[in-house]
Amino acid sequence: MKRRYLNAVVLTLLVVLSGSGWARAQETKTVKLNAPDKTRGLPVMQALSVRASVRDWSDKDLGLQDLSDLLWAANGINRPEIGKRTAASAMNAQDVDIYVVSKDGAFLYDARLHALVLVAAGDHREVLASRPGGGPGGPGGPGGPPPGAKPPAQAQPAAPPAKPEASPGTPPPGGGPGAGGPPPATPAPGQLVLVSDLSRFSRGTDELKKEWAAIDAGIVSANISLFCAGTGLATRPRAGMNKEALKSLLKLKETQHPVLNHPVGYPKETN
């Protein structure tokens, strides 16, 4: 009887630790992710039928298994013998890296180790909601000048042109995925940043490399959206972010460019 009780206690502890292990990466620097569960989720056509962009999430932390499966589905290695990925890339450059920004820190997903590597400790999720030169709240907000800073002198602006009336069904300014839309009421527990390293392309002009980078990031983005739709997670693709602040936070090289980001979480419960 005692042995059975001890076994149950150990099993319970393992379950608890596996769900919160990535949150302790500030101590370990690297978190080995669980092996991906390749049997879960809806059939692909059903997943496509429920895919939708979500702007608000529960504040529940992402479980380690969900995060492990999400990252593998997004751009993990699905053919280990030749090192190929779940997402195609131009000339197999594998130029897209995924960074995860959570309340516990910013991490780089190492697909070869299937692990998270700590880049910066602390909660930096506001960087994904901010804009260059000012956050959602204007000057002094995330990404903006500090409170009390003297604004630069500017010429008196001309009178703005009259606004055309929006036709029915027209989305509000800043509401599309390209602009990123307004910041959510509850920040997503996990925010994935897709960063392309142009130096990994073996040929091509700078213009072509940027075009390939956008396409490759779009393929990874589609994988993220499809996985979330099929497993009950909530996400949406966004291009709006403070790229300069992100480059500093993630310690990116000159050749690395943030292209898209995906806030990810569990659907918010509705009454």
PDB file of all heavy atoms in Angstrom, residues 8-22:
ATOM      1  N   ALA A   8       2.274   6.977  -6.697  1.00  0.00           N
ATOM      2  CA  ALA A   8       1.279   7.973  -7.107  1.00  0.00           C
ATOM      3  C   ALA A   8       1.782   9.380  -6.867  1.00  0.00           C
ATOM      4  O   ALA A   8       1.581  10.290  -7.684  1.00  0.00           O
ATOM      5  CB  ALA A   8      -0.030   7.743  -6.345  1.00  0.00           C
ATOM      6  N   VAL A   9       2.475   9.599  -5.734  1.00  0.00           N
ATOM      7  CA  VAL A   9       3.028  10.919  -5.431  1.00  0.00           C
ATOM      8  C   VAL A   9       4.084  11.308  -6.450  1.00  0.00           C
ATOM      9  O   VAL A   9       4.111  12.430  -6.966  1.00  0.00           O
ATOM     10  CB  VAL A   9       3.625  10.946  -4.005  1.00  0.00           C
ATOM     11  CG1 VAL A   9       4.416  12.231  -3.774  1.00  0.00           C
ATOM     12  CG2 VAL A   9       2.518  10.817  -2.967  1.00  0.00           C
ATOM     13  N   VAL A  10       4.977  10.375  -6.777  1.00  0.00           N
ATOM     14  CA  VAL A  10       6.040  10.651  -7.762  1.00  0.00           C
ATOM     15  C   VAL A  10       5.429  10.977  -9.117  1.00  0.00           C
ATOM     16  O   VAL A  10       5.849  11.918  -9.809  1.00  0.00           O
ATOM     17  CB  VAL A  10       6.993   9.440  -7.868  1.00  0.00           C
ATOM     18  CG1 VAL A  10       7.934   9.615  -9.057  1.00  0.00           C
ATOM     19  CG2 VAL A  10       7.790   9.288  -6.583  1.00  0.00           C
ATOM     20  N   LEU A  11       4.404  10.200  -9.531  1.00  0.00           N
ATOM     21  CA  LEU A  11       3.764  10.452 -10.822  1.00  0.00           C
ATOM     22  C   LEU A  11       3.122  11.831 -10.860  1.00  0.00           C
ATOM     23  O   LEU A  11       3.230  12.565 -11.851  1.00  0.00           O
ATOM     24  CB  LEU A  11       2.708   9.376 -11.087  1.00  0.00           C
ATOM     25  CG  LEU A  11       1.970   9.456 -12.431  1.00  0.00           C
ATOM     26  CD1 LEU A  11       2.960   9.355 -13.583  1.00  0.00           C
ATOM     27  CD2 LEU A  11       0.930   8.355 -12.533  1.00  0.00           C
ATOM     28  N   THR A  12       2.473  12.208  -9.754  1.00  0.00           N
ATOM     29  CA  THR A  12       1.844  13.530  -9.684  1.00  0.00           C
ATOM     30  C   THR A  12       2.880  14.638  -9.809  1.00  0.00           C
ATOM     31  O   THR A  12       2.687  15.623 -10.527  1.00  0.00           O
ATOM     32  CB  THR A  12       1.072  13.697  -8.356  1.00  0.00           C
ATOM     33  OG1 THR A  12       0.090  12.677  -8.275  1.00  0.00           O
ATOM     34  CG2 THR A  12       0.393  15.055  -8.288  1.00  0.00           C
ATOM     35  N   LEU A  13       4.010  14.478  -9.126  1.00  0.00           N
ATOM     36  CA  LEU A  13       5.075  15.480  -9.196  1.00  0.00           C
ATOM     37  C   LEU A  13       5.619  15.606 -10.607  1.00  0.00           C
ATOM     38  O   LEU A  13       5.894  16.703 -11.093  1.00  0.00           O
ATOM     39  CB  LEU A  13       6.204  15.117  -8.230  1.00  0.00           C
ATOM     40  CG  LEU A  13       5.936  15.397  -6.752  1.00  0.00           C
ATOM     41  CD1 LEU A  13       7.052  14.817  -5.889  1.00  0.00           C
ATOM     42  CD2 LEU A  13       5.808  16.900  -6.505  1.00  0.00           C
ATOM     43  N   LEU A  14       5.781  14.483 -11.291  1.00  0.00           N
ATOM     44  CA  LEU A  14       6.301  14.521 -12.664  1.00  0.00           C
ATOM     45  C   LEU A  14       5.352  15.270 -13.589  1.00  0.00           C
ATOM     46  O   LEU A  14       5.778  16.042 -14.447  1.00  0.00           O
ATOM     47  CB  LEU A  14       6.516  13.098 -13.183  1.00  0.00           C
ATOM     48  CG  LEU A  14       7.726  12.348 -12.606  1.00  0.00           C
ATOM     49  CD1 LEU A  14       7.734  10.902 -13.079  1.00  0.00           C
ATOM     50  CD2 LEU A  14       9.027  13.043 -12.986  1.00  0.00           C
ATOM     51  N   VAL A  15       4.046  15.041 -13.408  1.00  0.00           N
ATOM     52  CA  VAL A  15       3.072  15.750 -14.239  1.00  0.00           C
ATOM     53  C   VAL A  15       3.144  17.240 -13.993  1.00  0.00           C
ATOM     54  O   VAL A  15       3.139  18.061 -14.915  1.00  0.00           O
ATOM     55  CB  VAL A  15       1.649  15.215 -13.967  1.00  0.00           C
ATOM     56  CG1 VAL A  15       0.610  16.097 -14.636  1.00  0.00           C
ATOM     57  CG2 VAL A  15       1.524  13.773 -14.446  1.00  0.00           C
ATOM     58  N   VAL A  16       3.204  17.638 -12.716  1.00  0.00           N
ATOM     59  CA  VAL A  16       3.271  19.067 -12.376  1.00  0.00           C
ATOM     60  C   VAL A  16       4.526  19.699 -12.927  1.00  0.00           C
ATOM     61  O   VAL A  16       4.512  20.769 -13.539  1.00  0.00           O
ATOM     62  CB  VAL A  16       3.199  19.261 -10.847  1.00  0.00           C
ATOM     63  CG1 VAL A  16       3.495  20.708 -10.483  1.00  0.00           C
ATOM     64  CG2 VAL A  16       1.837  18.846 -10.324  1.00  0.00           C
ATOM     65  N   LEU A  17       5.657  19.023 -12.771  1.00  0.00           N
ATOM     66  CA  LEU A  17       6.925  19.596 -13.243  1.00  0.00           C
ATOM     67  C   LEU A  17       6.967  19.686 -14.754  1.00  0.00           C
ATOM     68  O   LEU A  17       7.512  20.633 -15.324  1.00  0.00           O
ATOM     69  CB  LEU A  17       8.093  18.741 -12.729  1.00  0.00           C
ATOM     70  CG  LEU A  17       8.355  18.830 -11.220  1.00  0.00           C
ATOM     71  CD1 LEU A  17       9.438  17.837 -10.825  1.00  0.00           C
ATOM     72  CD2 LEU A  17       8.746  20.242 -10.815  1.00  0.00           C
ATOM     73  N   SER A  18       6.385  18.686 -15.448  1.00  0.00           N
ATOM     74  CA  SER A  18       6.422  18.732 -16.912  1.00  0.00           C
ATOM     75  C   SER A  18       5.606  19.887 -17.447  1.00  0.00           C
ATOM     76  O   SER A  18       5.886  20.423 -18.510  1.00  0.00           O
ATOM     77  CB  SER A  18       5.889  17.416 -17.490  1.00  0.00           C
ATOM     78  OG  SER A  18       4.501  17.307 -17.253  1.00  0.00           O
ATOM     79  N   GLY A  19       4.572  20.336 -16.723  1.00  0.00           N
ATOM     80  CA  GLY A  19       3.743  21.435 -17.179  1.00  0.00           C
ATOM     81  C   GLY A  19       4.340  22.790 -16.924  1.00  0.00           C
ATOM     82  O   GLY A  19       3.947  23.785 -17.510  1.00  0.00           O
ATOM     83  N   SER A  20       5.322  22.873 -16.013  1.00  0.00           N
ATOM     84  CA  SER A  20       5.867  24.184 -15.663  1.00  0.00           C
ATOM     85  C   SER A  20       7.362  24.287 -15.885  1.00  0.00           C
ATOM     86  O   SER A  20       7.978  25.281 -15.554  1.00  0.00           O
ATOM     87  CB  SER A  20       5.560  24.485 -14.183  1.00  0.00           C
ATOM     88  OG  SER A  20       6.170  23.506 -13.360  1.00  0.00           O
ATOM     89  N   GLY A  21       7.944  23.234 -16.485  1.00  0.00           N
ATOM     90  CA  GLY A  21       9.396  23.200 -16.602  1.00  0.00           C
ATOM     91  C   GLY A  21       9.987  24.341 -17.404  1.00  0.00           C
ATOM     92  O   GLY A  21      11.043  24.866 -17.075  1.00  0.00           O
ATOM     93  N   TRP A  22       9.301  24.780 -18.478  1.00  0.00           N
ATOM     94  CA  TRP A  22       9.891  25.820 -19.315  1.00  0.00           C
ATOM     95  C   TRP A  22       9.885  27.153 -18.605  1.00  0.00           C
ATOM     96  O   TRP A  22      10.648  28.054 -18.933  1.00  0.00           O
ATOM     97  CB  TRP A  22       9.186  25.892 -20.662  1.00  0.00           C
ATOM     98  CG  TRP A  22       7.840  26.509 -20.686  1.00  0.00           C
ATOM     99  CD1 TRP A  22       6.706  26.026 -20.128  1.00  0.00           C
ATOM    100  CD2 TRP A  22       7.482  27.721 -21.340  1.00  0.00           C
ATOM    101  NE1 TRP A  22       5.657  26.863 -20.394  1.00  0.00           N
ATOM    102  CE2 TRP A  22       6.099  27.906 -21.136  1.00  0.00           C
ATOM    103  CE3 TRP A  22       8.178  28.664 -22.086  1.00  0.00           C
ATOM    104  CZ2 TRP A  22       5.410  28.994 -21.644  1.00  0.00           C
ATOM    105  CZ3 TRP A  22       7.490  29.745 -22.598  1.00  0.00           C
ATOM    106  CH2 TRP A  22       6.133  29.911 -22.378  1.00  0.00           C
TER     107      TRP A  22
END
